[in-house]
Amino acid sequence: MTNNQILWTPSEQIKKQANMTAFIDWVNQTGLSINNYASLYQWSIDHPDHFWSSFWEFSGIISSHGWDRVVDNLEAMPGASWFPGAQLNFAENLLRYKDDRTAIIACAENRPEQKLSYAELNREVGRYANFLKTSGIKPGDRVAGYITNGVEAVIAMLATTSIGAVWSSCSPDFGAKGVLARFLQIEPRILFAVDGYRYNGKKHSILDRVKTVVQSIPSIEKTVIIPFLDPFPDISEIQNSIIWQDANTSSCELEFTQMPFESPLFIMYSSGTTGKPKCIVHGIGGSLIQLLKEHRLHTDLKRDDVLFFFTTCGWMMWNWLVGALASGSTLILYDGSPFFPAENAMWDMSERLDISIFGTSARFISACAKQGLTPGKDYDLSAMRILLSTGSPLTSKGFDYVYQNIKEDVQLSSMSGGTDIMGCFVIGNPLYPVYRGEIQCRALGMAVDVFEDSVPVRGRQGELVCTKPFPSMPLGFWNEPDDSKYRSAYFERFDGVWAHGDYAEITEHDGMIIYGRSDAVLNPGGVRIGTAEIYSQIEKIDEVIESLCIGQRFDGDVRIILFINLRKNVALTDDLKTKIRDTIRKNTSTRHVPEKIIAVPDIPRTLSGKITELVVRDLVHGYPIKTTEALANPESLQYFQDLPDLQN
């Protein structure tokens, strides 16, 4: 499925000033003759050792010791080892600037804005790094955050990584069981936790949860409570706890512990919707070089940019966002509901803070469209030059909404990758046009392809794969010496090839369309259908707020079941069902039409906002649900149990 409609084209000035162009000029000084992105991409995957070493030099990565070789065992997938001999520190690269430019502006519901310059950020990180050192934290120890998206989270992470320790975080909307399912596995020695958070105007204290977490994890030696709701929270019942301000030691010269390239940096987690979350270990060097590549080249991030991404500390996009400090830009952090105190809150903030790169989820864009918001007309968004979208596939209608109602001269940079790789497989490109419904390009250094039964295909849907190693591949799963679960998760389907679990298509423009998770692909009559194909049609139905579709095994085949959440005072009539089916049939095919359409009051979502088809599919088939802690709204599952319409 391709669409030849171009919605945005970079001007010659944009292309001339792009970091991508500067990088092409840089590598051509070595004798290459690269003249466009296509040839740059091909070189990056044909000669990954040359590409990654060239980008290291171009981006100015700080290291105390250079590498002995770029990569060992390049043909091993997994098994390649990157930049052996190199010694560096993640925090040192993020804190390379020490001037009075604004590093962070932190915004939250009903909380005054907090600003930190790069000089102030360096000083604060030094103080809390000294606290960690005096608490006995050493390289390789784990430090955890149960924390809101504010300056304290950034300071705690940088202090942790400055001494070579390992950082891992969850957002405060996680329940105690969800936090324990993650942190119990990694045994942190220090816990940073907020006293609570605000969402949609309501206060939520989590001190009882923090108490449970601390009592349940024997490895936690000290807990630092960050006052977020109350300036003076009562922490008397939380053992070995102190207030954030009391951990702020006297001014201390910031020192950076030098570590090997493939030392652990972050522990991230799979969603945990089908069992215990997997603890994905990401390395210092791989994370750094991947984030720098995506920020500098694909996002065209410059020192003068103001970068915002709506995220929580429980989603990898927080790590992605904070990594942009290495480019010296100003980061905007936000904690709370994106529609508080009014539906245009994020657009108001964008105008007020002159955000030049605005990042959000496809779900947020869809919600703005459903509410009929017109931010481009109502706000001055002249500073915005790039709009980033990720989290789930952005539909063609979402592309239309951006250009019709947000900004007609913005680069819409849809991207896709994930927690598994600390980055993106497909992403934006300042040198390429934006085609309706397509992600612009495959990312440099990522040998991305689409397989149909182990055979690469173009213009047809298949499994998104990566056929060669890259530096930000996980070091493995925590505490798994034989890597058996790690290999099973990504390399079992195609030997020696990373299978990402997305259903995708490479288009005639060498862009990509993501159709959803391949494990949620529908298969009526043996025909594979991506769920995103159906969702893109449902978005055209004004009466529907959100939808979820699954394949139900029935009468020797698979039939499509569509669940919809309707607007207030809208009923699921026969006429509405006909309208939905006709819209799907007209714009896709007869096989895409759901056999059953069922209205439900809510659609289950993960804490990062993704709908959870697999959990609903398991419920419908009577399989036990192992855990609901990864869901933002577990109560919604009751609407999918024992539905009489699904018995016939």
Side-chain angles (χ1 to χ4, degrees):
M1 183 181 80
T2 59
N3 189 322
N4 286 312
Q5 184 179 356
I6 295 176
L7 301 177
W8 176 85
T9 302
S11 66
E12 289 305 312
Q13 183 180 14
I14 287 174
K15 290 192 282 189
K16 182 178 179 180
Q17 295 176 347
N19 292 336
M20 189 79 78
T21 299
F23 181 62
I24 290 174
D25 292 342
W26 170 281
V27 298
N28 280 342
Q29 292 175 15
T30 65
L32 298 175
S33 55
I34 291 170
N35 54 20
N36 56 32
Y37 182 80
S39 57
L40 178 67
Y41 174 75
Q42 194 62 46
W43 170 72
S44 77
I45 61 172
D46 288 344
H47 305 281
D49 50 346
H50 294 160
F51 165 72
W52 289 108
S53 59
S54 295
F55 181 72
W56 177 304
E57 299 290 350
F58 175 81
S59 61
I61 289 177
I62 300 168
S63 62
S64 62
H65 191 282
W67 63 86
D68 299 327
R69 297 170 303 284
V70 177
V71 60
D72 287 335
N73 301 320
L74 182 57
E75 301 306 316
M77 186 75 157
S81 178
W82 293 90
F83 296 101
Q87 295 277 324
L88 72 168
N89 183 277
F90 183 79
E92 183 176 15
N93 280 273
L94 270 61
L95 294 171
R96 65 178 69 194
Y97 296 98
K98 299 173 175 62
D99 53 25
D100 291 329
R101 284 215 196 187
T102 302
I104 297 171
I105 302 175
C107 309
E109 290 187 12
N110 297 322
R111 200 183 193 210
E113 275 182 12
Q114 294 176 279
K115 287 188 179 182
L116 279 182
S117 69
Y118 274 91
E120 291 168 331
L121 180 59
N122 270 269
R123 287 194 292 271
E124 290 299 300
V125 171
R127 292 185 173 113
Y128 285 91
N130 189 45
F131 161 75
L132 292 174
K133 287 180 182 177
T134 57
S135 299
I137 301 302
K138 305 181 299 298
D141 286 343
R142 276 77 62 209
V143 175
Y146 190 12
I147 200 166
T148 49
N149 181 20
V151 295
E152 299 90 349
V154 178
I155 292 167
M157 183 277 285
L158 290 172
T160 298
T161 58
S162 74
I163 61 177
V166 183
W167 173 260
S168 189
S169 61
C170 291
S171 57
D173 52 349
F174 278 65
K177 288 184 180 178
V179 175
L180 290 172
R182 289 157 174 80
F183 290 169
L184 258 174
Q185 297 186 69
I186 67 168
E187 300 178 301
R189 292 183 60 193
I190 300 287
L191 175 68
F192 289 92
V194 290
D195 63 337
Y197 65 101
R198 296 179 181 89
Y199 194 85
N200 206 26
K202 296 180 180 179
K203 293 183 177 181
H204 302 270
S205 173
I206 67 164
L207 285 176
D208 285 346
R209 295 187 218 162
V210 174
K211 177 184 175 182
T212 299
V213 169
V214 172
Q215 289 177 338
S216 304
I217 303 180
S219 63
I220 295 177
E221 299 168 9
K222 200 173 289 185
T223 300
V224 181
I225 301 296
I226 300 163
F228 193 84
L229 296 181
D230 185 344
F232 306 101
D234 180 4
I235 62 172
S236 58
E237 293 191 6
I238 300 174
Q239 62 194 35
N240 299 321
S241 61
I242 61 172
I243 293 291
W244 170 260
Q245 293 89 332
D246 293 337
N248 190 333
T249 61
S250 59
S251 183
C252 183
E253 184 69 25
L254 185 54
E255 298 177 350
F256 298 105
T257 303
Q258 302 298 302
M259 303 288 290
F261 187 91
E262 293 192 336
S263 300
L265 170 72
F266 294 137
I267 298 178
M268 313 292 291
Y269 304 95
S270 63
S271 64
T273 53
T274 57
K276 185 184 290 188
K278 297 186 287 289
C279 302
I280 305 168
V281 184
H282 286 291
I284 292 171
S287 299
L288 176 64
I289 199 168
Q290 181 75 284
L291 294 175
L292 276 169
K293 180 202 69 175
E294 294 184 5
H295 292 147
R296 299 273 182 89
L297 302 185
H298 290 284
T299 311
D300 198 36
L301 186 65
K302 299 180 172 72
R303 184 101 216 256
D304 292 334
D305 276 312
V306 179
L307 171 64
F308 165 73
F309 209 105
F310 183 80
T311 183
T312 72
C313 295
W315 188 20
M316 63 80 57
M317 290 310 300
W318 182 83
N319 307 70
W320 190 94
L321 171 65
V322 176
L325 289 169
S327 297
S329 308
T330 296
L331 306 191
I332 308 299
L333 310 180
Y334 180 80
D335 199 86
S337 167
F339 300 110
F340 181 86
E343 55 191 10
N344 271 311
M346 296 297 95
W347 306 115
D348 178 80
M349 183 180 73
S350 188
E351 177 188 75
R352 177 167 46 88
L353 299 178
D354 286 330
I355 292 173
S356 58
I357 303 177
F358 183 101
T360 188
S361 64
R363 185 168 176 262
F364 172 81
I365 293 172
S366 175
C368 288
K370 288 285 185 181
Q371 294 178 51
L373 304 186
T374 54
K377 182 177 72 174
D378 302 331
Y379 294 90
D380 179 4
L381 303 179
S382 56
M384 186 187 300
R385 62 188 186 93
I386 298 173
L387 193 152
L388 308 172
S389 171
T390 192
S392 57
L394 182 64
T395 64
S396 295
K397 190 176 180 183
F399 277 70
D400 294 340
Y401 173 77
V402 167
Y403 284 99
Q404 292 168 8
N405 295 286
I406 298 179
K407 202 165 191 278
E408 63 180 10
D409 62 344
V410 72
Q411 179 194 345
L412 175 51
S413 176
S414 183
M415 52 191 189
S416 182
T419 301
D420 319 73
I421 64 168
M422 188 53 67
C424 301
F425 280 128
V426 285
I427 195 166
N429 184 345
L431 306 185
Y432 268 10
V434 173
Y435 286 90
R436 183 174 184 263
E438 292 186 21
I439 299 174
Q440 287 178 284
C441 68
R442 291 174 284 175
L444 292 170
M446 313 294 274
V448 176
D449 216 326
V450 170
F451 275 12
E452 188 179 81
D453 297 327
S454 301
V455 178
V457 294
R458 294 291 183 273
R460 296 207 307 272
Q461 299 173 27
E463 293 279 346
L464 190 154
V465 301
C466 189
T467 60
K468 293 183 179 181
F470 49 93
S472 70
M473 286 175 62
L475 302 181
F477 294 162
W478 184 256
N479 203 22
E480 190 193 39
D482 64 357
D483 281 340
S484 57
K485 291 181 180 178
Y486 171 52
R487 290 175 179 272
S488 173
Y490 306 111
F491 304 100
E492 198 169 68
R493 175 138 199 197
F494 306 108
D495 186 38
V497 170
W498 176 292
H500 196 54
D502 278 343
Y503 201 45
E505 173 190 344
I506 297 176
T507 72
E508 60 190 289
H509 317 114
D510 210 29
M512 182 164 281
I513 300 170
I514 304 292
Y515 292 97
R517 297 295 295 169
S518 60
D519 49 12
V521 162
L522 310 171
N523 199 27
V527 177
R528 288 167 64 84
I529 293 172
T531 54
E533 295 179 83
I534 294 176
Y535 298 146
S536 66
Q537 302 310 315
I538 300 302
E539 284 204 351
K540 300 174 182 177
I541 311 295
D542 290 337
E543 295 90 338
V544 180
I545 298 173
E546 199 171 27
S547 62
L548 180 151
C549 59
I550 64 164
Q552 181 197 18
R553 292 194 305 275
F554 188 81
D555 198 23
D557 198 355
V558 173
R559 62 181 184 178
I560 297 175
I561 310 296
L562 176 66
F563 298 97
I564 55 175
N565 179 18
L566 296 168
R567 289 187 182 277
K568 190 176 181 181
N569 300 323
V570 173
L572 182 57
T573 62
D574 287 342
D575 286 345
L576 181 54
K577 289 182 180 179
T578 299
K579 179 180 179 181
I580 292 170
R581 288 189 170 108
D582 286 349
T583 300
I584 294 172
R585 183 182 293 108
K586 178 182 177 182
N587 295 291
T588 54
S589 76
T590 301
R591 289 192 178 275
H592 289 73
V593 177
E595 189 159 333
K596 298 280 186 179
I597 302 176
I598 300 171
V600 290
D602 200 6
I603 299 292
R605 300 178 304 278
T606 66
L607 290 163
S608 61
K610 298 179 183 179
I611 62 172
T612 56
E613 294 122 326
L614 294 183
V615 172
V616 172
R617 188 183 69 186
D618 286 350
L619 268 178
V620 165
H621 288 106
Y623 301 150
I625 305 303
K626 296 179 181 178
T627 178
T628 61
E629 285 296 315
L631 298 181
N633 54 342
E635 67 282 354
S636 64
L637 295 182
Q638 63 183 300
Y639 308 127
F640 298 85
Q641 293 178 317
D642 303 322
L643 291 169
D645 282 354
L646 296 182
Q647 309 307 315
N648 54 70

